[in-house]
């Protein structure tokens, strides 16, 4: 039986031509605006993340669809994807990581400079997915610390964008001292990273 | 006269006599077996003969039968004659304690990686192979995973509880 | 002057070539495989390939699962065209079980398979463009891949790893919206393909980069086990759809494009022409499906009670349906013993399924004959003596999908 076609036919008019980010709270007067560093730096960082797509399998193809014009990732500031870990902020691990590939992921993570974030896209990167076998690493959090997990097999592009927006929240709210704190050092020690 | 399964069978028995055995035709594909010492001779005969012309190696794999003592590992070649559209399946059986089979890489270059994969999964030692090492698994692995005695899951993982998955 | 304590590896002063690791992480979403190249300046002297970075042990997993639970595994072989693999697997199971599907099911399957072929060739051709530096073509065609994904969604609910179809047919009939979307695709896509073609086909830069590079002769290609567009680009017109037709392909009228030299340009052209031919097949199949009227138009699966779930009304009212439902869900249906090898023309070549069953509920051995694994061996021969930039384009024009290579 057929149901009525449910395309989105109501066109919402744009509120303005440019969409502006929200101003952080602070004290302003004539010709000056005072706020705290981490708010401004967080705002700048979160709207210009440079991701490193570490695409291994099927989730990589959904990432390609996310980068395409239909579900544009460039709207969120991540237009420039880089493949050199030295220049990127966000490691997007998409797809199954086999035990043979584990050292490669760790090496790439180590080559990234602080502050760095990791997003595990898909069921295989989060926990091994449907492949509970001798050759598949059951989740990349066995080897690198992960910030956001996006479930799905593969996750829809909207889900990948949602995960990306959560990373943006984390980036925007991060304290400037976090990377030097004791707790963070302990976290890295538990993964064997100095 | 078009090439049929019967003609192939007849030519093989003419050339090799009693050594090619076990002719069956499951789902229309002629299958036969020969001792492992003769595998290159049979492959070369099927390649060179002007009427048979099986010049394409479609697939090479192995099967493990732990219950047939002395004949545990079977290496299976699928050959294809593209011009007359006939396929044939050729099996070679070997003992698991001495799994030596002659390599087909001299005749078909595509056998190179397929034999490496068979070695990686089952431990079949191909004599004369240029580069017989593991291809899909990690190089340090000590066992041959697709043999029936080894389990599918990694036994050292800590977070997946077998009880919850119905396997405990 | 202080002494310099730089330790050089053995033999590195005498060595005249550079070792470059074109490692598992690629700057192009090809997949994970590694090439260790020996370079003399820009020329490649030798190449060694390492694969297995995404080995997921499909063949061992399949020994644990009943037949219909293996379909999600076949999705993840060549994930750019998952429905092709699904259909191939269903055809192999039907060969083992001796099931004959009705014509309407065959025609619907052909539509899905050819759509999957188009989506795979689109990725391959546009990524060849991206690797040569032309990103625009990729963005144009991704929009139309989204349309194909929408058609899959109407039939099975999922975009990429579709698990589409069941043993004997489909899980639900194609509804009107699916046919509307298919018509929209058939209307709009030919213009887009023409525009995409115009970007590359007679483009001087693209031609100079791809003609003559990565060439292979037909004899060497056959020896290396090439099949599919890579083999057809060398001049051999081997296509499983024509030679051993499956799924009613003999009812359709289409051509097989063949190249001459087997270089990168020929492979691009063969894939491009195959997309036009696939469009022809889809139009013919759609017309044939429209011809079924009345009760015939409601047929979407063969009558296989042992493997196809009965409708829910019957499960709640009839005893046999309840028993079959229970047996199928618990996976306790025994297969006939036997061994079968069935192959289909997947987007990369001949994808074969070698299934041995011993009469139990799961296969005794399942082996996938994966075209990418077999023709990647030839990469060294294709690139020896060429320059590094040509090697990159050769790698992407071969359409290597890591999921299929490692299985």
């Amino acid at each position: 039986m057929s149901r009525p076609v449910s395309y989105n036919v109501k066109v919402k008019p744009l509120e303005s031509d440019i969409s502006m980010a929200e101003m952080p709270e602070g004290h302003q007067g004539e010709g000056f605006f005072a706020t705290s560093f981490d708010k401004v730096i967080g705002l700048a960082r979160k709207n210009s993340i440079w991701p490193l797509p570490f695409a291994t399998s099927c989730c990589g193809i959904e990432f390609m669809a996310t980068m395409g014009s239909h579900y544009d990732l460039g709207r969120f500031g991540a237009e420039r994807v880089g493949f050199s870990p030295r220049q990127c902020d966000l490691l997007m691990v998409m797809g199954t990581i086999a035990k043979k590939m584990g050292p490669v992921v760790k090496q790439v993570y180590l080559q990234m400079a602080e502050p760095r974030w990791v997003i595990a896209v898909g069921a295989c990167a989060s926990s091994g997915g449907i492949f509970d076998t001798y050759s598949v690493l059951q989740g990349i959090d066995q080897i690198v610390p992960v910030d956001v997990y996006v479930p799905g097999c593969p996750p829809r592009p909207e889900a990948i964008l949602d995960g990306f927006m959560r990373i943006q929240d984390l980036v925007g709210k991060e304290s400037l001292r976090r990377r030097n704190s004791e707790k963070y050092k302990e976290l890295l020690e538990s993964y064997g990273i100095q | 006269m078009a090439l049929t399964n019967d003609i192939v069978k007849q030519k093989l028995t003419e050339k090799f006599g009693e050594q090619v055995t076990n002719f069956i035709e499951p789902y229309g594909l002629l299958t036969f077996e020969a001792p492992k010492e003769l595998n290159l001779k049979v492959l070369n005969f099927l390649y060179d003969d002007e009427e048979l012309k099986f010049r394409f190696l479609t697939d090479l794999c192995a099967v493990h039968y732990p219950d047939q003592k002395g004949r545990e590992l079977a290496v299976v070649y699928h050959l294809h004659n593209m011009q007359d559209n006939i396929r044939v399946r050729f099996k070679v059986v070997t003992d698991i304690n001495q799994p030596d089979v002659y390599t087909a890489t001299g005749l078909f270059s595509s056998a190179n990686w397929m034999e490496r994969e068979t070695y990686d999964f089952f431990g079949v030692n191909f004599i004369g192979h240029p580069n017989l090492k593991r291809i899909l698994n990690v190089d340090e692995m000590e066992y041959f995973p697709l043999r029936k005695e080894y389990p599918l899951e990694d036994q050292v993982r800590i977070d997946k509880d077998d009880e919850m998955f119905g396997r405990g | 002057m202080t002494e310099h304590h730089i330790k050089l590896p053995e033999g590195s002063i005498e060595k005249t070539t550079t070792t470059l690791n074109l490692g598992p992480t690629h700057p192009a979403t090809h997949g994970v495989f590694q090439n260790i190249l020996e370079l003399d300046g820009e020329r490649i002297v030798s190449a060694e390939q390492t694969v297995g970075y995404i080995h997921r042990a499909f063949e061992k997993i399949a020994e644990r699962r009943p037949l219909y639970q293996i379909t999600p595994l076949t999705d993840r072989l060549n994930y750019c065209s998952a429905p092709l693999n699904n259909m191939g697997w269903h055809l192999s199971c039907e060969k083992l079980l001796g099931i004959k599907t009705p014509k309407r099911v065959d025609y619907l399957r052909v539509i899905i398979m050819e759509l999957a072929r188009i989506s795979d060739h689109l990725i391959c051709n546009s990524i060849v463009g991206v690797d040569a530096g032309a990103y625009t073509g990729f963005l144009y065609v991704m929009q139309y891949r989204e349309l194909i994904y929408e058609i899959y969604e109407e039939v099975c609910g999922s975009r990429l790893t579709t698990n589409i179809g069941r043993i004997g047919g489909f899980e639900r009939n194609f509804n009107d919206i699916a046919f509307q979307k298919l018509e929209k695709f058939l209307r709009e896509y030919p213009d887009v393909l023409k525009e995409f073609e115009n970007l590359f086909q007679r483009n001087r830069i693209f031609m100079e980069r791809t003609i003559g590079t990565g060439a292979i002769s037909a004899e060497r290609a056959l020896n290396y086990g090439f099949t599919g567009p890579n083999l057809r680009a060398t001049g051999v017109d081997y296509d499983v759809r024509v030679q051993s037709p499956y799924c009613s392909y003999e009812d359709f009228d289409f051509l097989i494009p063949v190249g001459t030299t087997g270089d990168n340009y020929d492979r691009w052209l063969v894939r491009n022409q195959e997309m036009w031919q696939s469009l022809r097949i889809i139009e013919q199949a759609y017309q044939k499906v429209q011809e079924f009227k009345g009760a015939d138009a409601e047929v979407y699966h063969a009558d296989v009670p042992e493997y196809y779930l009965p409708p829910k009304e019957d499960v709640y009212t009839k005893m046999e349906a309840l028993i079959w439902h229970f047996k199928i869900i618990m996976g306790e249906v025994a297969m006939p013993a036997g061994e079968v090898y069935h192959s289909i023309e997947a987007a990369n070549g001949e994808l074969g399924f070698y299934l041995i069953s011993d009469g139990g509920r799961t296969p005794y051995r399942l082996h996938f004959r994966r075209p990418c694994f077999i023709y990647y061996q030839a990469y060294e021969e294709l690139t020896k003596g060429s320059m590094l930039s040509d090697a990159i384009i050769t790698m992407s024009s071969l359409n290597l999908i890591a999921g299929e290579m490692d299985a």
Side-chain angles (χ1 to χ4, degrees), chain A residues 99-100 127-129 131-136 138 142, chain B residues 135 137-138 141 143 145 152-154 157 159-160 167:
Chain A
K99 296 215 172 102
K100 206 167 175 180
S127 69
F131 302 110
D132 188 5
T133 73
Y134 58 86
S135 65
V136 169
Q138 304 292 308
Q142 314 269 353
Chain B
I135 188 168
N137 287 314
V138 282
M141 196 179 232
Y143 65 102
L152 170 65
E153 295 88 8
D154 182 18
R157 72 205 187 298
D159 51 345
K160 303 265 164 81
R167 289 194 283 266

Side-chain angles (χ1 to χ4, degrees), chain B residues 1-12 51-52:
Chain B
M1 182 170 60
L3 194 61
T4 63
N5 282 347
D6 291 325
I7 300 180
V8 178
K9 178 173 172 177
Q10 186 195 357
K11 294 202 87 162
L12 280 166
E51 212 184 329
L52 292 180

Side-chain angles (χ1 to χ4, degrees), chain B residues 19-123:
Chain B
Q19 291 167 318
V20 286
T21 54
N22 206 3
F23 281 91
I24 44 175
E25 285 190 40
Y27 301 95
L29 221 179
L30 180 66
T31 307
F32 65 95
E33 200 182 304
K36 63 183 184 179
E37 294 77 25
L38 288 185
N39 76 336
L40 280 185
K41 292 206 174 68
V42 175
L43 286 173
N44 272 309
F45 172 65
L46 290 170
Y47 192 103
D48 294 327
D49 187 292
E50 276 316 307
E51 212 184 329
L52 292 180
K53 287 196 287 199
F54 283 100
R55 300 205 173 132
F56 190 77
L57 178 69
T58 304
D59 199 15
L60 200 165
C61 63
V63 192
H64 182 218
Y65 295 102
D67 300 327
Q68 300 173 3
K69 296 296 170 207
R71 286 165 53 88
E72 284 99 351
L73 285 176
V75 177
V76 183
Y77 300 85
H78 282 87
L79 297 159
H80 189 45
N81 176 344
M82 283 185 175
Q83 280 147 328
D84 302 311
N85 193 15
I86 286 246
R87 292 180 191 260
V88 80
R89 186 186 290 142
F90 168 40
K91 293 197 194 188
V92 162
V93 188
T94 174
D95 191 339
I96 205 163
N97 300 317
Q98 180 118 49
D100 300 321
V101 177
Y102 292 112
T103 180
T105 38
L107 192 57
F108 299 106
S109 316
S110 55
N112 192 326
W113 277 19
M114 295 205 257
E115 289 180 350
R116 275 179 72 180
E117 185 192 358
T118 315
Y119 166 69
D120 188 0
F121 286 160
F122 291 94

Side-chain angles (χ1 to χ4, degrees), chain A:
Chain A
M1 77 216 97
S2 58
R3 58 177 201 281
V5 179
S6 50
Y7 296 116
N8 183 6
V9 292
K10 289 189 287 244
V11 180
K12 266 192 307 205
L14 276 178
E15 284 150 34
S16 69
D17 283 337
I18 307 176
S19 83
M20 314 262 271
E22 289 231 356
M23 201 162 75
E25 26 182 76
H27 181 72
Q28 66 172 349
E30 184 157 344
F32 77 96
F33 174 70
T35 178
S36 60
F37 254 148
D38 47 1
K39 293 205 185 73
V40 173
I41 291 182
L43 178 69
R45 273 183 184 158
K46 80 176 187 188
N47 288 321
S48 66
I49 296 184
W50 285 11
L52 198 176
F54 197 96
T56 46
S57 65
C58 347
C59 289
I61 307 295
E62 282 296 47
F63 177 72
M64 279 161 61
T66 313
M67 284 298 290
S69 16
H70 207 90
Y71 299 101
D72 198 5
L73 189 60
R75 296 180 277 173
F76 297 90
E79 180 64 50
R80 188 243 184 224
V81 292
F83 288 91
S84 165
R86 305 267 183 215
Q87 301 171 0
C88 290
D89 307 313
L90 172 68
L91 177 65
M92 303 180 78
V93 181
M94 300 176 278
T96 322
I97 301 294
K99 296 215 172 102
K100 206 167 175 180
M101 194 65 182
V104 179
V105 178
K106 187 127 189 204
Q107 178 91 329
V108 169
Y109 180 75
L110 289 175
Q111 288 179 337
M112 285 169 78
E114 297 285 4
R116 56 193 172 190
W117 291 271
V118 177
I119 177 172
V121 176
C124 293
S126 309
S127 69
I130 62 175
F131 302 110
D132 188 5
T133 73
Y134 58 86
S135 65
V136 169
L137 198 63
Q138 304 292 308
I140 56 167
D141 50 7
Q142 314 269 353
I143 43 175
V144 291
V146 176
D147 293 300
V148 171
Y149 300 84
V150 182
C153 192
R156 280 193 66 109
E158 287 99 332
I160 303 181
L161 289 175
D162 187 41
F164 193 82
M165 281 163 65
R166 298 241 190 278
I167 287 267
Q168 282 189 318
D169 286 339
L170 282 178
V171 173
K173 300 199 171 85
E174 182 166 304
S175 140
L176 290 179
R177 293 176 215 229
R178 178 182 174 233
R179 303 284 164 173
N180 296 325
S181 63
E182 274 308 312
K183 226 169 142 203
Y184 187 68
K185 286 202 172 63
E186 267 173 53
L187 175 67
L188 290 190
E189 283 293 317
S190 69
Y191 281 99
I193 302 172
Q194 272 75 40

Side-chain angles (χ1 to χ4, degrees), chain C residues 135-189:
Chain C
Y135 188 50
T136 329
F138 173 72
L139 289 175
Y140 283 179
V141 295
M142 282 314 255
Q143 192 73 351
Y144 282 84
R145 286 195 83 235
E146 293 290 329
L147 248 185
I148 298 182
Y149 279 173
E150 285 185 21
I151 299 177
Y152 296 157
E153 257 185 318
E154 281 303 322
V155 180
C156 71
S158 132
R159 290 157 50 100
L160 185 75
T161 48
T162 46
N163 195 5
I164 201 170
R166 301 281 178 260
I167 295 178
F170 283 93
E171 60 269 42
R172 56 180 73 84
N173 200 355
F174 281 34
N175 56 16
D176 296 331
I177 302 179
F179 285 128
Q180 274 174 20
K181 291 189 173 166
L182 185 63
E183 279 170 24
K184 179 174 177 199
F185 180 77
L186 288 173
R187 240 188 352 257
E188 298 183 3
Y189 181 61

